[in-house]
Amino acid sequence: MKNLDNISHFYFIGIGGIGMSALARYFKAAGKAVAGYDKTPSGITDALEALGIAISFEDSEVAIPSAFKDKETTLVVYTPAVPKAHKGYQYFVQQGFDIQKRAAVLGFLTREKFCLAVAGTHGKTTTSAMLGHLMAACDLPVTAFLGGIAENYQSNLIQQGEDIVVVEADEFDRSFMQLYPNIAAITSMDADHLDIYGDTESLKQSFRDFAAQVKEDGVLFVKNGLPLDGIMVGVEDDSAYTALNIRIENGAYRFDLKHPDGLIEDLVLNLPGRHNLSNAITALAMALRYGCPADKLAKALFAFKGVNRRFTYRIKTETEVLIDDYAHHPTEIDAVHSAVREMYPDKRVLAVFQPHLYSRTRDFMEDFAASLSQFDELLLLDIYPAREEPIEGVNSQKLLDLITTPRKELVTKQELREKLEASKASVKVMMGAGDIGEEILKLTKSLSL
């Protein structure tokens, strides 16, 4: 890869992706010329365009601005979700441009800095956002590249200096193998991305490989129960860092944090779900290890508002609740269900779910069915294909047939508003990693009228 200091132009193929857009924001803030392509407009592309970044939604060589056709001054960054047949990608290949995966560029940016990285099949986005927020609140010179929009910043990039970098270490396509962190955490190792890894053991091996890349004098934090060597973090257990004396007050968790040097009493976390308690303990452990003072961490944790589409309340009144969540794996659906039942123990709950990827739906068909069967009512959408072609015999109807909830139905996006309004459930949860996120925003406006 060329020296980034000598590059004046950055062109992103798939600029609307959450990880890609954080990098685009970073280089724009650094005074570089930034442009890109994405398949469809979204809230993320709107925000990038508002920063003065030119985005094309047409896949053609003509749509690439002429200023980005000089291979001496331009670096092309792409996401593995972009098909190799993409015309823009092919143009840059044929013209001999320096083309790099997002993960390689992120790895390059972190190489000379103090790096804190959070990995895991679940929990990494909230934990890394929380950690970035905690470090910023401790007045440290930190840049955080996040895999979601942190509500406190309305951005997936926190910029308060360059000495320290907080990153979400993504296991997809083995991207995290580009990172060599000083402090790292692994929150979970559940089977996922089997379209990439083939089997669960290969996925677990990649996490072991990532753990081995923590610097010699570095530290690895591991969720209690994972088969890895590291400092254990947990909730009400014998971990080195653990939450004790947990209680719920006014919809928030109050707890004490036991750590190797003592006890921090009466911390408050305003996020629901015990999985978020686990995320908080991990972020606090990493920040404490870096040297953040306990009093500042307590204030910062209390002020943390969460990550967009992670148990985000779109409507919250006495009579109606609409929750938006990115959950797209059975374990994540279980966590959402657990949090809903904890917060609304006596309420009827309707779930709307959009499966993400044919391969994931096939690999976890029975697990999805079991997780979704826990809700009182279910509306199921068609599978969102993302980067995949259909797989014969894998569809939402097959999943629906396995679900045991009596009130279940396969619906289109166009029918959602009518079905939601007809439901007697006072708590509604919409889940998925596809375009359901855009759909929820439309529905929130119409349901709130």
Side-chain angles (χ1 to χ4, degrees), residues 91-111:
Y91 165 79
F92 289 119
V93 169
Q94 288 158 12
Q95 296 298 316
F97 276 73
D98 187 0
I99 305 171
Q100 298 288 340
K101 284 184 180 178
R102 178 195 70 87
V105 177
L106 188 60
F108 189 85
L109 285 174
T110 64
R111 204 62 51 91

PDB file of all heavy atoms in Angstrom, residues 91-111:
ATOM      1  N   TYR A  91     -12.901  -1.361 -13.631  1.00  0.00           N
ATOM      2  CA  TYR A  91     -12.173  -0.240 -14.248  1.00  0.00           C
ATOM      3  C   TYR A  91     -10.871   0.012 -13.493  1.00  0.00           C
ATOM      4  O   TYR A  91      -9.789   0.128 -14.102  1.00  0.00           O
ATOM      5  CB  TYR A  91     -13.038   1.033 -14.249  1.00  0.00           C
ATOM      6  CG  TYR A  91     -12.239   2.283 -14.529  1.00  0.00           C
ATOM      7  CD1 TYR A  91     -11.862   2.620 -15.832  1.00  0.00           C
ATOM      8  CD2 TYR A  91     -11.821   3.117 -13.483  1.00  0.00           C
ATOM      9  CE1 TYR A  91     -11.097   3.761 -16.084  1.00  0.00           C
ATOM     10  CE2 TYR A  91     -11.065   4.253 -13.729  1.00  0.00           C
ATOM     11  CZ  TYR A  91     -10.701   4.572 -15.022  1.00  0.00           C
ATOM     12  OH  TYR A  91      -9.940   5.694 -15.274  1.00  0.00           O
ATOM     13  N   PHE A  92     -10.947   0.090 -12.172  1.00  0.00           N
ATOM     14  CA  PHE A  92      -9.754   0.378 -11.371  1.00  0.00           C
ATOM     15  C   PHE A  92      -8.730  -0.756 -11.471  1.00  0.00           C
ATOM     16  O   PHE A  92      -7.528  -0.510 -11.502  1.00  0.00           O
ATOM     17  CB  PHE A  92     -10.143   0.626  -9.912  1.00  0.00           C
ATOM     18  CG  PHE A  92     -10.859   1.936  -9.679  1.00  0.00           C
ATOM     19  CD1 PHE A  92     -12.149   1.957  -9.176  1.00  0.00           C
ATOM     20  CD2 PHE A  92     -10.233   3.140  -9.975  1.00  0.00           C
ATOM     21  CE1 PHE A  92     -12.803   3.165  -8.952  1.00  0.00           C
ATOM     22  CE2 PHE A  92     -10.880   4.356  -9.758  1.00  0.00           C
ATOM     23  CZ  PHE A  92     -12.175   4.365  -9.252  1.00  0.00           C
ATOM     24  N   VAL A  93      -9.207  -2.007 -11.526  1.00  0.00           N
ATOM     25  CA  VAL A  93      -8.304  -3.154 -11.684  1.00  0.00           C
ATOM     26  C   VAL A  93      -7.560  -3.060 -13.015  1.00  0.00           C
ATOM     27  O   VAL A  93      -6.327  -3.182 -13.087  1.00  0.00           O
ATOM     28  CB  VAL A  93      -9.084  -4.487 -11.594  1.00  0.00           C
ATOM     29  CG1 VAL A  93      -8.194  -5.657 -12.018  1.00  0.00           C
ATOM     30  CG2 VAL A  93      -9.613  -4.713 -10.190  1.00  0.00           C
ATOM     31  N   GLN A  94      -8.317  -2.848 -14.086  1.00  0.00           N
ATOM     32  CA  GLN A  94      -7.733  -2.812 -15.435  1.00  0.00           C
ATOM     33  C   GLN A  94      -6.755  -1.651 -15.627  1.00  0.00           C
ATOM     34  O   GLN A  94      -5.792  -1.758 -16.389  1.00  0.00           O
ATOM     35  CB  GLN A  94      -8.848  -2.755 -16.482  1.00  0.00           C
ATOM     36  CG  GLN A  94      -9.601  -4.084 -16.609  1.00  0.00           C
ATOM     37  CD  GLN A  94     -10.987  -3.931 -17.207  1.00  0.00           C
ATOM     38  OE1 GLN A  94     -11.343  -2.881 -17.746  1.00  0.00           O
ATOM     39  NE2 GLN A  94     -11.800  -4.980 -17.088  1.00  0.00           N
ATOM     40  N   GLN A  95      -7.017  -0.552 -14.897  1.00  0.00           N
ATOM     41  CA  GLN A  95      -6.135   0.616 -15.024  1.00  0.00           C
ATOM     42  C   GLN A  95      -4.938   0.559 -14.068  1.00  0.00           C
ATOM     43  O   GLN A  95      -4.094   1.465 -14.073  1.00  0.00           O
ATOM     44  CB  GLN A  95      -6.935   1.906 -14.762  1.00  0.00           C
ATOM     45  CG  GLN A  95      -8.044   2.170 -15.773  1.00  0.00           C
ATOM     46  CD  GLN A  95      -7.510   2.347 -17.190  1.00  0.00           C
ATOM     47  OE1 GLN A  95      -6.523   3.036 -17.406  1.00  0.00           O
ATOM     48  NE2 GLN A  95      -8.161   1.697 -18.151  1.00  0.00           N
ATOM     49  N   GLY A  96      -4.865  -0.496 -13.278  1.00  0.00           N
ATOM     50  CA  GLY A  96      -3.707  -0.694 -12.409  1.00  0.00           C
ATOM     51  C   GLY A  96      -3.657   0.191 -11.170  1.00  0.00           C
ATOM     52  O   GLY A  96      -2.570   0.520 -10.670  1.00  0.00           O
ATOM     53  N   PHE A  97      -4.814   0.563 -10.638  1.00  0.00           N
ATOM     54  CA  PHE A  97      -4.871   1.374  -9.422  1.00  0.00           C
ATOM     55  C   PHE A  97      -4.464   0.561  -8.194  1.00  0.00           C
ATOM     56  O   PHE A  97      -4.553  -0.669  -8.198  1.00  0.00           O
ATOM     57  CB  PHE A  97      -6.301   1.903  -9.206  1.00  0.00           C
ATOM     58  CG  PHE A  97      -6.620   3.163  -9.969  1.00  0.00           C
ATOM     59  CD1 PHE A  97      -6.804   3.127 -11.350  1.00  0.00           C
ATOM     60  CD2 PHE A  97      -6.738   4.380  -9.318  1.00  0.00           C
ATOM     61  CE1 PHE A  97      -7.109   4.280 -12.063  1.00  0.00           C
ATOM     62  CE2 PHE A  97      -7.043   5.537 -10.020  1.00  0.00           C
ATOM     63  CZ  PHE A  97      -7.227   5.498 -11.398  1.00  0.00           C
ATOM     64  N   ASP A  98      -4.016   1.261  -7.169  1.00  0.00           N
ATOM     65  CA  ASP A  98      -3.790   0.625  -5.866  1.00  0.00           C
ATOM     66  C   ASP A  98      -5.177   0.429  -5.243  1.00  0.00           C
ATOM     67  O   ASP A  98      -5.876   1.399  -4.933  1.00  0.00           O
ATOM     68  CB  ASP A  98      -2.931   1.536  -4.989  1.00  0.00           C
ATOM     69  CG  ASP A  98      -2.508   0.874  -3.682  1.00  0.00           C
ATOM     70  OD1 ASP A  98      -2.893  -0.291  -3.462  1.00  0.00           O
ATOM     71  OD2 ASP A  98      -1.809   1.522  -2.885  1.00  0.00           O
ATOM     72  N   ILE A  99      -5.595  -0.841  -5.082  1.00  0.00           N
ATOM     73  CA  ILE A  99      -6.930  -1.166  -4.574  1.00  0.00           C
ATOM     74  C   ILE A  99      -6.760  -1.957  -3.281  1.00  0.00           C
ATOM     75  O   ILE A  99      -6.072  -2.983  -3.268  1.00  0.00           O
ATOM     76  CB  ILE A  99      -7.724  -2.007  -5.598  1.00  0.00           C
ATOM     77  CG1 ILE A  99      -7.784  -1.284  -6.946  1.00  0.00           C
ATOM     78  CG2 ILE A  99      -9.134  -2.294  -5.098  1.00  0.00           C
ATOM     79  CD1 ILE A  99      -8.366  -2.134  -8.060  1.00  0.00           C
ATOM     80  N   GLN A 100      -7.381  -1.487  -2.204  1.00  0.00           N
ATOM     81  CA  GLN A 100      -7.212  -2.129  -0.903  1.00  0.00           C
ATOM     82  C   GLN A 100      -8.562  -2.409  -0.251  1.00  0.00           C
ATOM     83  O   GLN A 100      -9.500  -1.629  -0.380  1.00  0.00           O
ATOM     84  CB  GLN A 100      -6.397  -1.218   0.031  1.00  0.00           C
ATOM     85  CG  GLN A 100      -4.991  -0.929  -0.454  1.00  0.00           C
ATOM     86  CD  GLN A 100      -4.063  -2.118  -0.340  1.00  0.00           C
ATOM     87  OE1 GLN A 100      -4.324  -3.055   0.411  1.00  0.00           O
ATOM     88  NE2 GLN A 100      -2.959  -2.085  -1.088  1.00  0.00           N
ATOM     89  N   LYS A 101      -8.630  -3.530   0.470  1.00  0.00           N
ATOM     90  CA  LYS A 101      -9.813  -3.797   1.281  1.00  0.00           C
ATOM     91  C   LYS A 101      -9.864  -2.802   2.446  1.00  0.00           C
ATOM     92  O   LYS A 101      -8.822  -2.350   2.928  1.00  0.00           O
ATOM     93  CB  LYS A 101      -9.774  -5.218   1.866  1.00  0.00           C
ATOM     94  CG  LYS A 101     -10.100  -6.315   0.867  1.00  0.00           C
ATOM     95  CD  LYS A 101     -10.121  -7.653   1.585  1.00  0.00           C
ATOM     96  CE  LYS A 101     -10.442  -8.784   0.626  1.00  0.00           C
ATOM     97  NZ  LYS A 101     -10.413 -10.095   1.305  1.00  0.00           N
ATOM     98  N   ARG A 102     -11.064  -2.524   2.899  1.00  0.00           N
ATOM     99  CA  ARG A 102     -11.260  -1.622   4.029  1.00  0.00           C
ATOM    100  C   ARG A 102     -10.409  -2.068   5.227  1.00  0.00           C
ATOM    101  O   ARG A 102      -9.774  -1.255   5.902  1.00  0.00           O
ATOM    102  CB  ARG A 102     -12.743  -1.614   4.434  1.00  0.00           C
ATOM    103  CG  ARG A 102     -13.069  -0.736   5.639  1.00  0.00           C
ATOM    104  CD  ARG A 102     -14.432  -1.038   6.195  1.00  0.00           C
ATOM    105  NE  ARG A 102     -14.492  -2.336   6.854  1.00  0.00           N
ATOM    106  CZ  ARG A 102     -14.186  -2.548   8.118  1.00  0.00           C
ATOM    107  NH1 ARG A 102     -13.794  -1.553   8.887  1.00  0.00           N
ATOM    108  NH2 ARG A 102     -14.272  -3.755   8.643  1.00  0.00           N
ATOM    109  N   ALA A 103     -10.382  -3.382   5.471  1.00  0.00           N
ATOM    110  CA  ALA A 103      -9.665  -3.900   6.641  1.00  0.00           C
ATOM    111  C   ALA A 103      -8.175  -3.593   6.571  1.00  0.00           C
ATOM    112  O   ALA A 103      -7.542  -3.300   7.596  1.00  0.00           O
ATOM    113  CB  ALA A 103      -9.882  -5.409   6.753  1.00  0.00           C
ATOM    114  N   ALA A 104      -7.609  -3.649   5.370  1.00  0.00           N
ATOM    115  CA  ALA A 104      -6.176  -3.375   5.206  1.00  0.00           C
ATOM    116  C   ALA A 104      -5.867  -1.909   5.502  1.00  0.00           C
ATOM    117  O   ALA A 104      -4.861  -1.583   6.142  1.00  0.00           O
ATOM    118  CB  ALA A 104      -5.733  -3.731   3.790  1.00  0.00           C
ATOM    119  N   VAL A 105      -6.740  -1.016   5.057  1.00  0.00           N
ATOM    120  CA  VAL A 105      -6.540   0.420   5.304  1.00  0.00           C
ATOM    121  C   VAL A 105      -6.671   0.710   6.799  1.00  0.00           C
ATOM    122  O   VAL A 105      -5.865   1.441   7.382  1.00  0.00           O
ATOM    123  CB  VAL A 105      -7.549   1.264   4.486  1.00  0.00           C
ATOM    124  CG1 VAL A 105      -7.378   2.751   4.793  1.00  0.00           C
ATOM    125  CG2 VAL A 105      -7.377   1.007   2.996  1.00  0.00           C
ATOM    126  N   LEU A 106      -7.670   0.109   7.434  1.00  0.00           N
ATOM    127  CA  LEU A 106      -7.860   0.294   8.873  1.00  0.00           C
ATOM    128  C   LEU A 106      -6.645  -0.240   9.636  1.00  0.00           C
ATOM    129  O   LEU A 106      -6.152   0.405  10.570  1.00  0.00           O
ATOM    130  CB  LEU A 106      -9.138  -0.418   9.323  1.00  0.00           C
ATOM    131  CG  LEU A 106      -9.599  -0.167  10.755  1.00  0.00           C
ATOM    132  CD1 LEU A 106      -9.875   1.309  10.997  1.00  0.00           C
ATOM    133  CD2 LEU A 106     -10.843  -0.994  11.070  1.00  0.00           C
ATOM    134  N   GLY A 107      -6.169  -1.401   9.224  1.00  0.00           N
ATOM    135  CA  GLY A 107      -4.986  -1.978   9.861  1.00  0.00           C
ATOM    136  C   GLY A 107      -3.772  -1.074   9.728  1.00  0.00           C
ATOM    137  O   GLY A 107      -3.007  -0.890  10.684  1.00  0.00           O
ATOM    138  N   PHE A 108      -3.611  -0.481   8.550  1.00  0.00           N
ATOM    139  CA  PHE A 108      -2.491   0.424   8.296  1.00  0.00           C
ATOM    140  C   PHE A 108      -2.573   1.651   9.209  1.00  0.00           C
ATOM    141  O   PHE A 108      -1.579   2.105   9.773  1.00  0.00           O
ATOM    142  CB  PHE A 108      -2.507   0.857   6.826  1.00  0.00           C
ATOM    143  CG  PHE A 108      -1.283   1.608   6.392  1.00  0.00           C
ATOM    144  CD1 PHE A 108      -0.142   0.941   5.968  1.00  0.00           C
ATOM    145  CD2 PHE A 108      -1.270   2.994   6.412  1.00  0.00           C
ATOM    146  CE1 PHE A 108       0.996   1.646   5.572  1.00  0.00           C
ATOM    147  CE2 PHE A 108      -0.150   3.710   6.019  1.00  0.00           C
ATOM    148  CZ  PHE A 108       0.986   3.033   5.605  1.00  0.00           C
ATOM    149  N   LEU A 109      -3.792   2.183   9.372  1.00  0.00           N
ATOM    150  CA  LEU A 109      -3.994   3.373  10.202  1.00  0.00           C
ATOM    151  C   LEU A 109      -3.680   3.115  11.678  1.00  0.00           C
ATOM    152  O   LEU A 109      -3.266   4.019  12.396  1.00  0.00           O
ATOM    153  CB  LEU A 109      -5.442   3.864  10.088  1.00  0.00           C
ATOM    154  CG  LEU A 109      -5.831   4.590   8.796  1.00  0.00           C
ATOM    155  CD1 LEU A 109      -7.333   4.874   8.785  1.00  0.00           C
ATOM    156  CD2 LEU A 109      -5.050   5.892   8.649  1.00  0.00           C
ATOM    157  N   THR A 110      -3.901   1.881  12.132  1.00  0.00           N
ATOM    158  CA  THR A 110      -3.702   1.569  13.556  1.00  0.00           C
ATOM    159  C   THR A 110      -2.273   1.141  13.880  1.00  0.00           C
ATOM    160  O   THR A 110      -1.896   1.088  15.048  1.00  0.00           O
ATOM    161  CB  THR A 110      -4.647   0.432  14.004  1.00  0.00           C
ATOM    162  OG1 THR A 110      -4.302  -0.769  13.294  1.00  0.00           O
ATOM    163  CG2 THR A 110      -6.101   0.778  13.734  1.00  0.00           C
ATOM    164  N   ARG A 111      -1.487   0.843  12.859  1.00  0.00           N
ATOM    165  CA  ARG A 111      -0.186   0.187  13.053  1.00  0.00           C
ATOM    166  C   ARG A 111       0.756   0.952  13.988  1.00  0.00           C
ATOM    167  O   ARG A 111       1.426   0.373  14.826  1.00  0.00           O
ATOM    168  CB  ARG A 111       0.468  -0.010  11.672  1.00  0.00           C
ATOM    169  CG  ARG A 111       1.503  -1.123  11.569  1.00  0.00           C
ATOM    170  CD  ARG A 111       0.962  -2.507  11.857  1.00  0.00           C
ATOM    171  NE  ARG A 111      -0.221  -2.905  11.142  1.00  0.00           N
ATOM    172  CZ  ARG A 111      -0.250  -3.531   9.978  1.00  0.00           C
ATOM    173  NH1 ARG A 111       0.874  -3.792   9.342  1.00  0.00           N
ATOM    174  NH2 ARG A 111      -1.388  -3.905   9.441  1.00  0.00           N
TER     175      ARG A 111
END
